[in-house]
Amino acid sequence: MSFLRRKFYSYYLNPRIEFPPRFDRREYAFILFNEDTMHRHISFSSRNDILSYLKMNVPAHAYYSSAYYRHPSAERMMDKEWMGADLIFDLDADHLPNARNLSYEEALKEVKEELKKLLSFLMEDFGFGERDIKLYFSGGRGYHCHVCNEKVLELGGQERREVVDYITARGLDIKKVMGEKNLPAEKFSGRFSIKTIKINPNQGGWQGRIARAIIDFFKRIKNMEGEDAIKELVKIEGIGEKTARAIYDALTDERMKRIEAGLLDQSTEFRKIAKPLVTKLAVSLHSEADEPVTADIKRLIRLPGSLHGKTGLRVTGIDIKKIDDFDPLTDAVVFGENSVKVNVLKKMEITMMENHFKIEKGEAKLPEYLAVFLVARGLAEVRPP
Amino acid sequence: MKEAKEWVKEQKVSIEEILFDDLYERARERGVERVRQAVDEGIVREVAMVSEADCIMEIFSYPIARMIVASVESDYLVRRYALAEAKKAYESMKNEEGSFIDYLAREMGVEVSGNEIYFTDYLKYAPTWDINWKLVNREMRKGYVLLSKSEVARLIQEAIRKKIYNELAFAFAPPEVKKVFKDEILGIKNKVIFKEEKRKVGEVKEEGFPPCIKNLIAAVKAGINVPHVGRFTLVTFLNAVGMDIEEILKIFASSPDFNAEKTRYQIEHITGRISGTVYATPKCDTIRTWGLCYPDEYCRNIRHPLFYYRRRARK
Ligand code: SF4
């Protein structure tokens, strides 16, 4: 038995599995060590059966279906009879535009920011409560957010895609959302009507979000030194130096008051400014070209409490209130301190269990938790005893 | 009307009575009229109701109409009738006060409070392929989507249509119905057949389709999941070149999440059969930003896929 499999076995002798709701209606799937194929269409009628399976087979990866079925172990989708599915968001470092250049720890931090944005959409806009939402560290490079609520169970693929589009701002029409209006001309300003946009930071949905971001943005610009403000403004696509200067110079106290009251003029510039703000507010859930997996009504998701074969970390639940405190390299670690002799393949630095390690290439004695992590990630080897 | 409905519920009137008793003669006539109006005009017209008896006859005419529709055994009629009744409800919602809308919404199991509707119900009934109805462009707070009164009515119209359709699609009428309304049913059947025939028109030259459209058709046929905007482009295009709904539907039938009823509804919406607005086929520029443009040598100087077709189909 390989080192990793031995360690996983010791965990699965007495694992802390969190069973999904309606666990007996789910399809389960496993990938075993030294195998590429997935064992699918497995179902369990008791929690104990799941536990024995894990102990007997010691999988490298364990999954269950977000959907629940009348016949979860049927081989053909058609025969399974779909009954509903949880709404699951998969936030992964691989979906971030700059993921490649980040270390494991940095990448997870970035994903956590996305997770927080997602939560704000789910709770404020969609109105889900803490009871409906479960958060998990995926064991790999991301977080999973499960929404388990009666109302969403039967949403179809197309409807789920609308939810995803809302959160990622795909198809958002700034013009429409922000309601451009021709206000009647004010006194003294001539006979022409001016194009004005009325925004309201207290509104719900994207309206309010964009409104708040715009007001904050102008406040920030106003508080900047002239040259810094111009530099910031020309970063925006379509705004040149001349326009930037004009915008900055026009930000008088009086104008600022109007903006804070939600009145914006010069609608085109405003749209240019709003665009990058929307990108910042939206959640990066998937890259442009990808099909959002959240919209998939029959996908597989990692079993909470199981171990991730590529890290040895545990798929771990997170308390919504304590997101900031959650540290995957401490809280998702299940292995102990016993020292293990390994052959490290690459020099590196890493913080795990609140200990900072500086590791050189070559033979080393490391605590078991770190040894498992490195071996699973392919950064170290253990010679068979 | 609402009270009358409650009243009727409490009375135990048997189907025999409704079908044979002289007392319900007027209800039977109105029942036939409802179906005829649905076939001829696409909407069931409201009637002036002066007395309580008028009200009661109107209410009884509804189950009668449904039994007649079920007896004709035509999916086309079921669809047309469901839509016509839903449109009638929409008209009356426009005129009645808010409490009536709330009442109908509750009957349909839709969660409405004032002008707000819970987002899952919204998604079930809103034509979200239309940019104006896309959820992201709507104001939503704590799970409720804010709408105008007529938009609420529009969603409930769709809920009603769906409900009636689902109820009638697999319904059987008692055999007596066929006897009592023998002539009427025959008349309606003939009309329905005639109407269905008439819709099969014109010849479409697929060779002349621009590459963007050909690609979409290939993707849909291969069972690849095509995004909303792609379907939208395809339907508006095929409609513009004169394909009928059945033919368009056939193309979509191999799509992985194909749902005949839903797809048909989308097509009917986009092509103006339901809303009255025919959506225009997007311009090349738009198609390009969606990443669906695959130009070939004939696309040079083409700004709209329909120009491409018109130019090439002539040859
Ligand atoms: S140029 Fe226009 S017609 Fe040609 S493929 Fe692109 S979108 Fe279609």
Side-chain angles (χ1 to χ4, degrees):
Chain A
M1 219 194 282
S2 76
F3 168 70
L4 217 48
R5 187 158 188 264
R6 230 177 329 121
K7 287 295 131 200
F8 274 43
Y9 176 72
S10 70
Y11 172 73
Y12 282 125
L13 283 177
N14 189 14
R16 283 170 291 148
I17 301 296
E18 281 177 57
F19 299 94
R22 303 178 182 80
F23 74 93
D24 54 342
R25 290 255 169 262
R26 311 278 182 166
E27 175 194 349
Y28 293 80
F30 303 93
I31 297 175
L32 305 185
F33 279 100
N34 303 322
E35 281 187 20
D36 297 328
T37 52
M38 193 182 248
H39 299 256
R40 291 200 59 170
H41 314 300
I42 299 169
S43 73
F44 298 103
S45 53
S46 82
R47 288 164 203 241
N48 261 330
D49 290 350
I50 302 181
L51 297 176
S52 340
Y53 184 97
L54 292 171
K55 205 184 305 174
M56 297 255 302
N57 296 283
V58 195
H61 304 274
Y63 306 89
Y64 74 97
S65 62
S66 67
Y68 55 104
Y69 305 100
R70 185 151 288 125
H71 309 293
S73 54
E75 300 234 332
R76 293 190 311 171
M77 265 308 152
M78 238 173 61
D79 302 330
K80 282 189 193 299
E81 290 188 44
W82 190 86
M83 295 170 76
D86 301 326
L87 183 61
I88 292 180
F89 299 91
D90 188 348
L91 295 157
D92 200 285
D94 297 340
H95 305 151
L96 295 176
N98 55 343
R100 303 248 169 276
N101 314 320
L102 300 177
S103 73
Y104 185 80
E105 291 148 289
E106 285 165 341
L108 275 171
K109 244 189 218 126
E110 294 260 319
V111 181
K112 206 194 251 180
E113 290 311 308
E114 297 300 312
L115 178 66
K116 284 195 218 161
K117 281 197 253 168
L118 172 67
L119 280 175
S120 114
F121 279 108
L122 290 178
M123 298 176 86
E124 282 157 38
D125 299 34
F126 287 91
F128 294 116
E130 284 184 19
R131 266 188 306 137
D132 304 317
I133 299 173
K134 289 210 186 89
L135 302 180
Y136 294 98
F137 165 58
S138 73
R141 284 163 46 96
Y143 292 92
H144 295 160
C145 174
H146 301 209
V147 178
C148 309
N149 168 298
E150 282 296 315
K151 287 277 183 183
V152 305
L153 288 183
E154 51 187 74
L155 287 179
Q158 205 62 261
E159 291 147 10
R160 279 166 209 254
R161 194 199 289 251
E162 278 295 308
V163 174
V164 174
D165 286 355
Y166 187 97
I167 284 163
T168 56
R170 196 201 270 208
L172 178 86
D173 187 332
I174 295 180
K175 217 164 151 187
K176 218 152 257 157
V177 169
M178 301 315 283
E180 217 164 84
K181 289 179 198 81
N182 282 318
L183 284 197
E186 284 174 41
K187 263 190 219 160
F188 310 121
S189 68
R191 261 170 285 139
F192 308 100
S193 70
I194 38 166
K195 263 217 168 134
T196 301
I197 297 162
K198 181 99 183 72
I199 59 172
N200 178 358
N202 300 318
Q203 256 180 314
W206 272 101
Q207 282 88 340
R209 281 173 193 273
I210 298 174
R212 290 190 291 274
I214 295 239
I215 294 172
D216 284 350
F217 177 79
F218 279 118
K219 270 192 198 156
R220 209 158 53 83
I221 293 291
K222 177 144 177 58
N223 286 334
M224 281 183 186
E225 289 299 321
E227 288 317 304
D228 293 341
I230 306 293
K231 253 191 232 148
E232 191 65 28
L233 281 164
V234 294
K235 274 191 208 156
I236 296 168
E237 202 188 312
I239 292 190
E241 194 155 339
K242 223 167 127 197
T243 324
R245 220 164 273 283
I247 293 176
Y248 181 74
D249 290 342
L251 274 182
T252 57
D253 289 340
E254 194 191 325
R255 179 88 194 279
M256 204 55 225
K257 259 193 208 123
R258 276 171 64 80
I259 292 176
E260 278 174 53
L263 285 168
L264 305 172
D265 336 307
Q266 291 176 316
S267 53
T268 34
E269 251 90 74
F270 149 74
R271 270 214 295 285
K272 280 178 197 154
I273 291 169
K275 224 175 167 186
L277 294 178
V278 167
T279 314
K280 241 197 240 158
L281 291 170
V283 179
S284 338
L285 207 52
H286 52 84
S287 55
E288 268 306 313
D290 269 354
E291 271 298 300
V293 279
T294 304
D296 189 343
I297 53 170
K298 16 181 201 268
R299 54 179 304 224
L300 294 170
I301 192 93
R302 274 181 197 277
L303 180 66
S306 67
L307 299 182
H308 189 302
K310 290 244 151 67
T311 60
L313 296 172
R314 175 175 175 268
V315 182
T316 307
I318 305 166
D319 187 338
I320 291 191
K321 289 198 200 74
K322 295 186 189 142
I323 296 185
D324 281 320
D325 303 335
F326 183 84
D327 171 15
L329 290 182
T330 300
D331 298 314
V333 172
V334 300
F335 296 106
E337 311 260 347
N338 293 348
S339 103
V340 178
K341 229 209 244 153
V342 296
N343 180 28
V344 179
L345 303 174
K346 202 177 133 196
K347 175 181 161 182
M348 72 192 91
E349 280 188 44
I350 185 166
T351 304
M352 213 172 166
M353 296 304 277
E354 285 161 9
N355 298 318
H356 190 76
F357 296 91
K358 273 191 184 158
I359 315 164
E360 294 298 323
K361 195 170 172 228
E363 295 252 313
K365 272 192 169 174
L366 300 174
E368 185 179 272
Y369 59 79
L370 182 55
V372 169
F373 181 71
L374 294 184
V375 170
R377 297 197 63 209
L379 299 171
E381 295 165 340
V382 170
R383 291 220 184 81
Chain B
M1 184 82 186
K2 196 162 121 191
E3 293 79 26
K5 217 171 186 172
E6 294 301 317
W7 180 85
V8 167
K9 260 191 204 157
E10 279 157 32
Q11 313 301 305
K12 297 235 156 56
V13 183
S14 70
I15 291 183
E16 281 72 38
E17 281 175 84
I18 300 180
L19 287 180
F20 300 107
D21 198 319
D22 283 345
L23 199 61
Y24 298 104
E25 176 63 31
R26 253 174 65 211
R28 289 194 288 274
E29 278 170 13
R30 171 68 175 145
V32 172
E33 188 186 51
R34 280 181 111 111
V35 185
R36 285 207 177 121
Q37 282 176 344
V39 175
D40 295 339
E41 302 173 45
I43 182 168
V44 176
R45 299 260 165 232
E46 294 199 51
V47 286
M49 285 179 280
V50 193
S51 65
E52 196 171 296
D54 290 343
C55 255
I56 293 166
M57 288 306 142
E58 179 68 8
I59 289 167
F60 278 118
S61 73
Y62 176 61
I64 292 170
R66 289 166 57 113
M67 288 192 274
I68 295 172
V69 170
S71 307
V72 176
E73 290 166 9
S74 148
D75 189 55
Y76 170 76
L77 178 63
V78 171
R79 261 185 283 115
R80 200 167 164 88
Y81 173 74
L83 181 59
E85 285 285 359
K87 278 187 176 169
K88 172 177 186 289
Y90 178 75
E91 288 301 317
S92 54
M93 276 187 277
K94 274 209 307 212
N95 303 326
E96 299 236 12
E97 41 192 299
S99 66
F100 178 67
I101 296 185
D102 291 350
Y103 165 78
L104 270 186
R106 232 172 301 124
E107 288 275 287
M108 292 300 119
V110 176
E111 235 184 273
V112 177
S113 71
N115 280 347
E116 298 188 341
I117 181 167
Y118 194 66
F119 81 94
T120 52
D121 287 327
Y122 178 87
L123 290 179
K124 236 184 264 170
Y125 302 120
T128 49
W129 57 87
D130 175 344
I131 190 109
N132 289 307
W133 286 90
K134 222 177 145 44
L135 189 61
V136 68
N137 292 321
R138 287 286 160 168
E139 188 175 346
M140 178 164 62
R141 200 195 275 272
K142 290 283 169 205
Y144 285 84
V145 183
L146 194 70
L147 300 173
S148 71
K149 190 181 157 195
S150 69
E151 285 171 332
V152 174
R154 174 69 182 62
L155 291 191
I156 294 173
Q157 173 193 323
E158 169 58 5
I160 292 172
R161 187 199 65 78
K162 236 181 180 160
K163 185 159 194 254
I164 297 178
Y165 177 81
N166 288 335
E167 284 167 357
L168 287 180
F170 304 101
F172 291 99
E176 296 93 318
V177 179
K178 275 195 186 161
K179 277 184 219 136
V180 176
F181 297 103
K182 200 170 144 234
D183 297 340
E184 289 85 350
I185 290 177
L186 197 68
I188 292 165
K189 222 177 217 165
N190 284 336
K191 253 190 207 162
V192 165
I193 291 171
F194 178 72
K195 285 224 169 202
E196 267 184 311
E197 295 269 292
K198 219 174 73 183
R199 290 183 311 153
K200 292 179 185 139
V201 279
E203 188 201 349
V204 178
K205 296 180 183 163
E206 277 195 42
E207 322 83 67
F209 287 179
C212 50
I213 299 296
K214 278 188 183 157
N215 254 303
L216 284 169
I217 293 179
V220 165
K221 281 191 175 164
I224 297 164
N225 212 342
V226 174
H228 251 3
V229 285
R231 292 165 178 241
F232 176 82
T233 305
L234 189 52
V235 172
T236 52
F237 180 89
L238 296 177
N239 181 54
V241 300
M243 253 197 201
D244 72 23
I245 293 189
E246 300 307 319
E247 284 176 279
I248 301 177
L249 204 60
K250 243 184 250 156
I251 293 180
F252 281 94
S254 42
S255 187
D257 52 352
F258 180 70
N259 171 332
E261 179 52 17
K262 200 164 174 175
T263 309
R264 176 188 296 279
Y265 179 72
Q266 293 184 355
I267 297 172
E268 287 181 343
H269 182 95
I270 295 170
T271 56
R273 310 298 201 271
I274 289 171
S275 58
T277 341
V278 184
Y279 287 81
T281 311
K283 292 182 298 220
C284 291
D285 277 347
T286 316
I287 295 175
R288 212 165 291 133
T289 57
W290 289 334
L292 300 173
C293 165
Y294 303 92
D296 63 11
E297 68 265 36
Y298 303 99
C299 284
R300 218 185 301 148
N301 297 327
I302 290 280
R303 305 188 34 208
H304 198 285
L306 279 171
F307 288 157
Y308 183 110
Y309 177 69
R310 271 179 218 135
R311 194 178 290 172
R312 296 216 51 208
R314 241 183 277 138
K315 288 170 196 156

